[in-house]
Amino acid sequence: MGVGYICCTSSSSSSSTLLTYKPKQLFNLANPTTTSITSQSHFKTSTNFYSISCTSSSFLPLKCGAGIDIRETQDENTSNPMMGIHNINPDLLQQMVYDALVWCSLHGLVVGDKSVQNSGIVPGVGMKHAPFALLPTSFPQTQWQQACDLMCIFNELIDRVSLDGNFLQDTLSRTKRVDVFTSRLLDIHSMMLEIKKKEEIRLGLHRSDYMLDDQTKDLLQIELNTISSSFPGLGCLVSELHSNLLNHYGDHVGLQSGRVPGNTALTGYADALGQAWKEYNDPRAVVMVVVQTEERNMYDQHWLSTVLKERHAVTTIRKTLAEVDSEGELLPDGTLLVGGQKVAVIYFRAGYAPSDYPSESEWEARLLMECSSAVKCPSISYHLAGTKKIQQELAKPNVLERFLENKDEIAKLRKCFAGLWSLDDPHAVRDALERPELYVLKPQREGGGNNIYGNNVRETLLKLQDGSEEQAAYILMQRIFPIASPTFLVRDGICHQDLAISELGIYGAYLRNKQKVIVNSQSGYLVRTKVSSSNEGGVAAGFAVLDSIYLT
């Protein structure tokens, strides 16, 4: 899946020798002529064995005066072979990484540096390049098209599920008893049902995430995000970065820039927000982006605000939940004022995790916004429709038929569903206890770092046995095993060579005003690539890098 290259060049010869994977080989940025070898290993490809060999400990320095720190690491316990290794001159590799870092700096492919104070508060303070893969990840054309075709069906499904208040409440009723965060969301949803609050204008900016299973070659869904689907801005920039690199170096690495699909995530999301603002029909109103107190991914959000301004002349304001509570006012007609400004659309880039609600003030803000006539992205019902428990319920036999009529569309959705089980299923739990490595235990949480893997699955299940109510806070999911490939991962100016796996996210935009569907589109894509030995995959959480795809 990934595209990776390894080579070694002797300082006494201009020829380069293809070599295999070497753990922890360091190419120092400050001293580019020095290479330290800390370990040696062998690995098997599909045809033969390669062994590590390097006749010199020197690499030629970059002619522009800067070297690139390149480290090679590998999980020695992995059973996946290193595939697709090509011969690439180390000077060329250095130049590519250097050019990529320059491109990121000049084009805004940046995030805040957590080691720098105020980097998540003040724009321009402590910026650094976003973590990225140097070359795009290979992905088969057929499964790419399948993922794109599914998005509009999922958009419609989420909208219909959101309208079935009883389904949401009943499905999450047990979870509510053991998960305080989900309980608070359900309380707000219940209040909206009681007052018969209707969302005439409904906006969803979604992302459906997939992996390719190596054994079956099936495209399997990991999750469907309905709140704060991040990286439409930076994800587009990575696609542009890869196209740019391949335009310059494609002949040297055997790749064609035309096989990197164009990415419309940024304009697709901006256009949907602009159209929702237009449907609200008040030219003086603004779009409010709800943000975390410290947001080091602010530039991804600022890209969206900038394009929204350029394409639709719409002004955005940024407010935390606490600021909405202190500055917000609800007029008798449902109009929401924040800081004296009328809000047409509320775009949540916060509010998806318990940590976003440290006090009652934040919950008051969420309720205030939900009671307003502003277009919510997402509304509380859209938010709940994206929970893990709802995902598991929709995978049950005959449940999709409750919301969709088209049998072909239902079949397409079911084809991408991975195995999903409630902890009420004794057969699934028994198998997970016996073979925990084949399952993932998921709580009702968004963002990276929450899932449970390996022996921890067994340990957690044992703790949850004996009819514990806490079982309802989790679902079991089939673990997907994508192929691992050698990939260059660039983070903090350091290029790591490692076995990596990738996850494809397809963005979708959906806008409806009463009975009229105004937007239902597949709106670009996101690839996140991580070291194969890592279970979690969040970029913001520090587990993965941004990537794009190379169609094969």
Side-chain angles (χ1 to χ4, degrees):
M1 292 175 62
V3 185
Y5 309 86
I6 312 174
C7 66
C8 181
T9 302
S10 169
S11 61
S12 61
S13 171
S14 60
S15 63
S16 59
T17 303
L18 176 65
L19 58 86
T20 58
Y21 198 79
K22 183 180 297 181
K24 300 181 181 178
Q25 180 171 323
L26 176 62
F27 198 5
N28 194 283
L29 179 62
N31 184 12
T33 61
T34 301
T35 301
S36 66
I37 307 299
T38 59
S39 63
Q40 181 171 323
S41 72
H42 295 73
F43 64 88
K44 186 177 181 180
T45 69
S46 58
T47 56
N48 55 10
F49 282 87
Y50 294 98
S51 62
I52 302 298
S53 65
C54 186
T55 58
S56 170
S57 63
S58 297
F59 284 89
L60 296 178
L62 207 61
K63 289 182 174 61
C64 56
I68 301 299
D69 189 353
I70 297 179
R71 303 176 181 179
E72 297 179 5
T73 58
Q74 182 184 9
D75 177 4
E76 296 185 0
N77 295 321
T78 183
S79 61
N80 293 303
M82 297 285 289
M83 303 293 292
I85 304 231
H86 296 271
N87 188 2
I88 182 172
N89 185 284
D91 289 350
L92 177 63
L93 175 60
Q94 284 185 320
Q95 187 66 57
M96 289 175 63
V97 177
Y98 185 88
D99 287 354
L101 293 172
V102 171
W103 195 98
C104 291
S105 302
L106 296 180
H107 292 82
L109 182 49
V110 295
V111 294
D113 186 345
K114 64 181 179 182
S115 66
V116 178
Q117 188 175 5
N118 291 329
S119 64
I121 300 173
V122 183
V125 173
M127 290 192 300
K128 65 178 183 178
H129 74 85
F132 64 91
L134 182 63
L135 294 167
T137 290
S138 297
F139 203 88
Q141 175 85 40
T142 300
Q143 282 85 350
W144 157 254
Q145 192 59 55
Q146 178 190 357
C148 291
D149 292 344
L150 285 169
M151 197 63 241
C152 291
I153 307 175
F154 273 119
N155 286 339
E156 186 68 37
L157 175 65
I158 288 298
D159 185 65
R160 296 192 183 188
V161 170
S162 75
L163 297 176
D164 195 332
N166 290 333
F167 175 79
L168 292 172
Q169 288 285 334
D170 293 345
T171 302
L172 293 167
S173 59
R174 285 193 61 206
T175 304
K176 179 178 182 177
R177 295 198 291 268
V178 296
D179 188 304
V180 175
F181 178 64
T182 303
S183 177
R184 295 299 298 264
L185 295 175
L186 282 167
D187 285 344
I188 295 175
H189 180 255
S190 181
M191 293 178 196
M192 298 305 104
L193 293 178
E194 289 176 10
I195 65 175
K196 295 181 169 54
K197 178 74 164 59
K198 290 186 178 181
E199 300 296 332
E200 302 288 9
I201 306 173
R202 302 191 294 277
L203 173 64
L205 297 179
H206 307 140
R207 195 186 70 234
S208 184
D209 295 333
Y210 306 91
M211 278 184 172
L212 274 178
D213 184 69
D214 184 28
Q215 286 190 337
T216 64
K217 308 306 178 187
D218 288 337
L219 181 80
L220 298 178
Q221 186 185 52
I222 298 168
E223 64 181 356
L224 181 60
N225 302 277
T226 60
I227 182 170
S228 189
S229 300
S230 59
F231 294 116
L234 299 192
C236 285
L237 289 174
V238 174
S239 300
E240 292 182 28
L241 167 65
H242 285 161
S243 293
N244 181 273
L245 285 174
L246 295 188
N247 279 333
H248 287 86
Y249 300 108
D251 290 342
H252 298 282
V253 298
L255 299 173
Q256 304 170 22
S257 63
R259 290 187 177 272
V260 178
N263 199 339
T264 59
L266 182 56
T267 55
Y269 268 23
D271 288 349
L273 285 165
Q275 189 63 45
W277 173 84
K278 182 178 179 181
E279 293 296 316
Y280 187 83
N281 198 27
D282 189 332
R284 297 170 298 174
V286 300
V287 170
M288 180 172 69
V289 185
V290 180
V291 299
Q292 294 175 332
T293 305
E294 292 190 39
E295 180 54 87
R296 294 183 177 86
N297 194 29
M298 71 168 77
Y299 304 103
D300 179 59
Q301 302 165 7
H302 281 301
W303 269 114
L304 194 53
S305 296
T306 298
V307 174
L308 183 60
K309 182 71 172 180
E310 291 175 349
R311 291 171 70 93
H312 300 278
V314 175
T315 298
T316 60
I317 60 173
R318 296 170 60 84
K319 298 291 180 180
T320 65
L321 286 167
E323 288 171 335
V324 172
D325 180 51
S326 63
E327 301 175 21
E329 179 185 0
L330 193 62
L331 300 184
D333 65 353
T335 298
L336 176 65
L337 301 179
V338 177
Q341 294 179 286
K342 186 180 296 186
V343 177
V345 181
I346 304 166
Y347 173 46
F348 285 93
R349 289 297 292 263
Y352 55 85
S355 57
D356 290 334
Y357 301 85
S359 70
E360 283 301 308
S361 175
E362 287 77 15
W363 286 111
E364 290 293 331
R366 186 67 187 267
L367 179 60
L368 178 75
M369 290 184 286
E370 202 63 36
C371 289
S372 76
S373 61
V375 182
K376 274 78 69 177
C377 182
S379 65
I380 193 69
S381 56
Y382 267 46
H383 186 169
L384 292 171
T387 57
K388 304 296 189 296
K389 185 63 180 176
I390 296 296
Q391 180 187 8
Q392 180 252 314
E393 187 71 14
L394 290 172
K396 288 183 177 180
N398 303 316
V399 176
L400 284 177
E401 286 80 356
R402 178 169 177 167
F403 304 102
L404 301 174
E405 300 82 27
N406 188 299
K407 292 182 179 180
D408 289 339
E409 291 182 347
I410 291 171
K412 288 178 180 179
L413 294 186
R414 285 219 171 94
K415 185 178 179 181
C416 79
F417 285 167
L420 293 159
W421 302 271
S422 164
L423 297 196
D424 291 335
D425 188 324
H427 300 291
V429 171
R430 187 182 308 117
D431 194 57
L433 288 170
E434 294 174 357
R435 302 186 297 172
E437 70 279 2
L438 300 183
Y439 294 86
V440 181
L441 196 58
K442 291 189 169 186
Q444 304 296 321
R445 293 290 179 269
E446 299 297 329
N450 298 306
N451 298 331
I452 300 170
Y453 297 85
N455 287 329
N456 290 332
V457 170
R458 179 190 289 118
E459 294 175 3
T460 305
L461 287 175
L462 289 172
K463 293 177 183 177
L464 295 174
Q465 282 189 333
D466 302 323
S468 170
E469 282 286 339
E470 291 184 27
Q471 290 181 353
Y474 297 87
I475 67 165
L476 266 177
M477 182 176 177
Q478 165 194 353
R479 187 166 184 178
I480 305 168
F481 293 94
I483 191 170
S485 299
T487 307
F488 287 124
L489 312 170
V490 185
R491 183 186 294 273
D492 295 327
I494 299 172
C495 182
H496 297 261
Q497 164 77 35
D498 213 323
L499 280 172
I501 57 177
S502 297
E503 178 179 319
L504 171 67
I506 301 293
Y507 292 106
Y510 187 89
L511 177 64
R512 188 181 193 114
N513 192 341
K514 298 179 182 177
Q515 300 305 311
K516 182 181 179 182
V517 177
I518 299 164
V519 176
N520 185 8
S521 66
Q522 178 267 323
S523 307
Y525 68 96
L526 171 72
V527 179
R528 287 167 295 175
T529 294
K530 63 180 181 180
V531 175
S532 59
S533 58
S534 171
N535 287 323
E536 293 294 347
V539 175
F543 301 108
V545 301
L546 297 172
D547 202 346
S548 68
I549 63 173
Y550 185 87
L551 294 178
T552 59

